[in-house]
Amino acid sequence: MSSLTRIVRPQKRPAEAARIPERGKSKLGYWLYFIPGAILISVVIFYPIVRNLRLSLYHWRGGRAAEHFTGFDNWFALFHDSAFLQSFTNIALVVVAMVIVPTLVGLVIAAALFDVVGRRFGGKISSLLRATYYLPQILPIAVAGVMFSWILKPNGDGVLNQILSGIAGHAVTVNWLGGQYSTAIASAMVLMIWIQIGYPVVIFMAALQRVEPELYEASELDGANWFQRFRAITLPQIRPEVFVVSLTTTIAALKVFAPIFILTMGGPSKSTYVPSFYAYEEFIKGPDKGYAATIASAITIVVFLVAVIFIKVQTRSERKDA
Amino acid sequence: MSAIATPTTPITRRAAGTKHKKRPRTASEWIVLTLSIVGALLVIAPMLLLLINAFKSPSEYANSNPLELPHALSFDGIRAFWSGHNFPRALWNSIFISGMVAILGVILSVLNSFAIGIGRVKGRTWLVLVFLMANLVPQEMLFDPLFKLYDKLGLLSNSWSVIITFTVIQSAFGTYLLSSLLGTFPKEILEAAAVDGASRFRSLRSVIVPILRPTLSVLMVFFFIWTWNEFLLPLAFLNTSDSLTVPLVLQQLNGERQTDTTTLIAGTLISIIPTIIFFLFFQRTLTRGITAGAVK
């Protein structure tokens, strides 16, 4: 069972099992252990959240300038701000690149590595391949971004353009990152897919290990082909992992920052903005820190909502199973 | 996950088992293997391209195809990056920051989860969610208030600004994972320790932590690597050339217009190497950790 659901519905134990015989000590003493954690999380997490939510109700140029209370003006402005709306539309594409494609392709790769490569060609080859797919996950995203921006340089300088020129037989001079919106966002999506792909592969392969091999062998004897087994056994068995992967990658997609910062800086002309990058730009260069705080608060609210909805859906579907 | 009934009898299992080993590999199985290898090659292709081009001299790079191997090994780019961009300093900063976060983050996770999992304090479900918020909140929410706070405290461009921040963020995940683990900690062991007169802190230090050691080391590896890879908050908090981390140095180099491409490529390759070494060392721990973290 996924640990997320364990948190929401903590395992029930008989009351006496929880007791540890301790002479005259109350549970109150355990609160002492929270002191460092509570202080730190208040300063590092809760103070900024409260501060930004409050600031979203003000106009403030930053520095020593006075703060002007404006109520929900910033929030109304947000919904008419084409840059913000564009940044949120782009999130749909980021979800495709960080959630949908990696989960689907990861399922196929994991099944292929586990079911065919691991079983028929040996575990060594399959774990080597698994490690290769996982490698981009542990590279610093900034470093991966610099690497891709080198490959995707425009005109004849770009590695990709040079390779394509060699194949095509004539000069290819696409400006992958800056020319137009479609190639810029597509390039960023390729980078995100490349980074993400190994994560579902590793999780799904571990999940498959948990599935009883007898299930497969029995179905094979019954004459089921690979695809039928995949649909009837693999998918239902690893549903909890599919859920966890989609939850964590969706949240990561909502917060995505570095690939855009390194590759396109939001360009050409603000078209590849994502909300995180927009908030960052406004905090750094914008005329109104209150507005920057509003963008950041909006992202935070969406992230929390998505997490709550996901967990609710999961809890319900597990209850149905039970 | 719901329990699965296994509808197999020993007879079919044995039959299937023997059948499996004797069957020769089919053509479609070879195709699947080939495709998996091609996919893996595509994944490491950008790094192979780096490797091929990082050792070319600027003039050779300008005159050759990126797919060609270098004719002579040139270390110009690597030398220029290593000394010109204060790379050793950045490497040390990254190691110090990530190492401190790994240690402090695990200590904080253990303290929190001890109260939640063993102490079973009231409202523990909510407490876990509260701590988990640290992991959910987008970093641009923290960026401006913390920038001002660290500015006041004189911690800007000081490794500790990043260490404090990420100790809290990483320990959110650690608290979450360890709380559910400690929730099922065998009570007989704790009872035995209590009978022997051990205090709570003593049982934590001498009984629980040693038993948890494998999980704690997995957490440490992850905290280290996650912190190493962080970008946005270090970018905001670390502004002097002495305080930069490895990703920041590379990003800065990337932004400079007059940079030689060969220096940039060599720099990228060097920035990847510590991660690859770490990966080779902890490959097994990593795969164990990803799965322990996501799904139990």
Side-chain angles (χ1 to χ4, degrees), chain A residues 56-259:
Chain A
S56 76
L57 306 178
Y58 287 79
H59 278 311
W60 182 46
R61 270 183 293 133
R64 286 165 191 271
E67 300 175 355
H68 295 289
F69 182 77
T70 55
F72 285 96
D73 280 7
N74 283 331
W75 289 90
F76 293 128
L78 201 61
F79 295 102
H80 300 287
D81 178 351
S82 60
F84 180 74
L85 296 178
Q86 171 82 60
S87 76
F88 243 97
T89 325
N90 284 340
I91 282 296
L93 294 173
V94 175
V95 167
V96 170
M98 289 182 68
V99 185
I100 298 174
V101 173
T103 307
L104 294 180
V105 176
L107 257 177
V108 174
I109 296 176
L113 287 187
F114 184 83
D115 216 19
V116 181
V117 177
R119 243 173 254 239
R120 310 287 301 153
F121 295 92
K124 280 221 169 103
I125 304 179
S126 79
S127 26
L128 181 71
L129 288 173
R130 180 185 61 188
T132 312
Y133 283 108
Y134 189 69
L135 187 59
Q137 271 276 302
I138 59 155
L139 292 186
I141 296 180
V143 176
V146 172
M147 188 164 76
F148 268 69
S149 61
W150 163 61
I151 293 172
L152 296 172
K153 271 190 182 178
N155 308 324
D157 294 342
V159 175
L160 182 61
N161 279 342
Q162 288 186 37
I163 293 173
L164 290 177
S165 302
I167 296 170
H170 58 83
V172 175
T173 56
V174 181
N175 187 351
W176 295 102
L177 298 172
Q180 45 179 322
Y181 169 67
S182 54
T183 52
I185 196 79
S187 305
M189 287 171 74
V190 169
L191 170 60
M192 292 170 199
I193 293 172
W194 182 78
I195 292 173
Q196 283 293 333
I197 200 81
Y199 171 63
V201 169
V202 171
I203 300 223
F204 293 156
M205 280 183 77
L208 289 170
Q209 256 156 26
R210 202 193 50 211
V211 181
E212 300 281 336
E214 287 84 0
L215 275 179
Y216 286 103
E217 282 159 6
S219 69
E220 212 170 334
L221 286 184
D222 290 343
N225 66 26
W226 186 84
F227 183 70
Q228 285 168 325
R229 271 180 290 149
F230 181 73
R231 242 192 43 187
I233 303 173
T234 309
L235 272 187
Q237 289 294 319
I238 67 173
R239 221 175 53 192
E241 281 82 1
V242 173
F243 166 79
V244 170
V245 165
S246 356
L247 171 64
T248 47
T249 52
T250 304
I251 288 169
L254 291 171
K255 302 201 286 185
V256 71
F257 173 81

Side-chain angles (χ1 to χ4, degrees), chain A residues 26 52 120 133 162 194 276, chain B residues 23 36 43 66 140-141 200:
Chain A
S26 74
N52 271 324
R120 310 287 301 153
Y133 283 108
Q162 288 186 37
W194 182 78
S276 280
Chain B
R23 187 159 63 82
S36 314
V43 168
E140 59 275 8
M141 196 73 169
R200 276 174 189 161

Side-chain angles (χ1 to χ4, degrees), chain B residues 76-93 240-268 270-271:
Chain B
D76 292 356
I78 290 174
R79 211 172 293 133
F81 178 73
W82 190 272
S83 51
H85 289 271
N86 214 350
F87 183 75
R89 177 71 209 217
L91 193 61
W92 166 248
N93 288 339
T240 57
S241 64
D242 271 355
S243 66
L244 301 180
T245 58
V246 170
L248 294 181
V249 165
L250 192 69
Q251 196 278 320
Q252 204 182 45
L253 179 68
N254 190 41
E256 287 168 9
R257 293 207 169 260
Q258 74 283 13
T259 308
D260 277 328
T261 309
T262 41
T263 310
L264 184 69
I265 306 167
T268 316
I270 295 178
S271 306

Side-chain angles (χ1 to χ4, degrees), chain A residues 257-273:
Chain A
F257 173 81
I260 294 297
F261 183 91
I262 307 280
L263 279 189
T264 67
M265 273 298 204
S269 62
K270 292 195 178 185
S271 62
T272 56
Y273 267 37

Side-chain angles (χ1 to χ4, degrees), chain B residues 147-159:
Chain B
F147 182 88
K148 297 207 177 79
L149 182 70
Y150 292 138
D151 192 17
K152 263 185 215 152
L153 297 172
L155 285 178
L156 275 190
S157 293
N158 180 321
S159 298

